[in-house]
Amino acid sequence: MTLDTNGLDTAQRRVFGELTARSWSDAGLRLRYEREPVAVLAEYDIHLAEGMPAPALPPRPAAEVVVETLSDPVAVTPPCLDFCFCWMQVSK
């Protein structure tokens, strides 16, 4: 999946990843983002430059999503910082 987050710094990309993961489990958040992305981004302390379009939220993956906040970000090797989300295919 390719996501256009040009113009966002590393910390903002990490927070946008958290917003993305939350939107996958919270339809209300996704709907609010679709209606007023700048306001939702501001709630996550992401402020876009004048005229910069808000990145689109990627669609929810078909696989199960597991979201974890890591308790010891120092022990995590890049590219994960202190928040990471992964998806895996679950057998039915």
Side-chain angles (χ1 to χ4, degrees), residues 8 11-17 19 37-48 55:
L8 299 182
Q12 290 172 324
R13 288 176 191 205
R14 179 183 38 147
V15 172
F16 187 76
L19 169 60
V38 174
V40 174
L41 288 171
E43 292 172 20
Y44 283 80
D45 203 25
I46 298 175
H47 305 282
L48 303 175

Side-chain angles (χ1 to χ4, degrees), residues 2-56:
T2 303
L3 181 62
D4 183 8
T5 55
N6 292 332
L8 299 182
D9 63 29
T10 302
Q12 290 172 324
R13 288 176 191 205
R14 179 183 38 147
V15 172
F16 187 76
E18 179 180 349
L19 169 60
T20 298
R22 288 178 193 263
S23 76
W24 289 340
S25 62
D26 182 344
L29 176 60
R30 176 174 278 285
L31 184 60
R32 279 193 325 114
Y33 187 85
E34 290 171 0
R35 290 183 178 162
E36 46 188 346
V38 174
V40 174
L41 288 171
E43 292 172 20
Y44 283 80
D45 203 25
I46 298 175
H47 305 282
L48 303 175
E50 186 68 34
M52 181 180 169

